[in-house]
Amino acid sequence: AGQTFVFTLMVNGVAGAQTCTMSGAAASTCSDATHNDILSAGNRYAVRMVTSGGANTAQCWAATRANPF
């Protein structure tokens, strides 16, 4: 089975709407242009990563916000 990484934006400890999946050992990027989460001052944000297929859990991530507050 192939390696899979599923990233989910967590908002105050709860899964938000945005997710993206990277599949295969050579995958290096993913994005979710379909769903939106509202970013508000005072909220806590994190990214949850779930792996399968023997995927290496030593990964890093970055986020880009499209619109200013």
Side-chain angles (χ1 to χ4, degrees):
Q3 298 178 346
T4 302
F5 304 87
V6 179
F7 297 91
T8 303
L9 177 66
M10 305 296 288
V11 182
N12 295 322
V14 177
Q18 296 185 56
T19 65
C20 68
T21 301
M22 295 189 331
S23 297
S28 61
T29 64
C30 65
S31 64
D32 182 345
T34 303
H35 303 99
N36 293 303
D37 287 296
I38 297 172
L39 303 180
S40 300
N43 284 344
R44 293 177 299 129
Y45 300 97
V47 174
R48 176 176 63 194
M49 178 180 73
V50 177
T51 63
S52 63
N56 180 354
T57 58
Q59 300 296 319
C60 63
W61 60 272
T64 303
R65 190 171 49 86
N67 298 320
F69 285 113

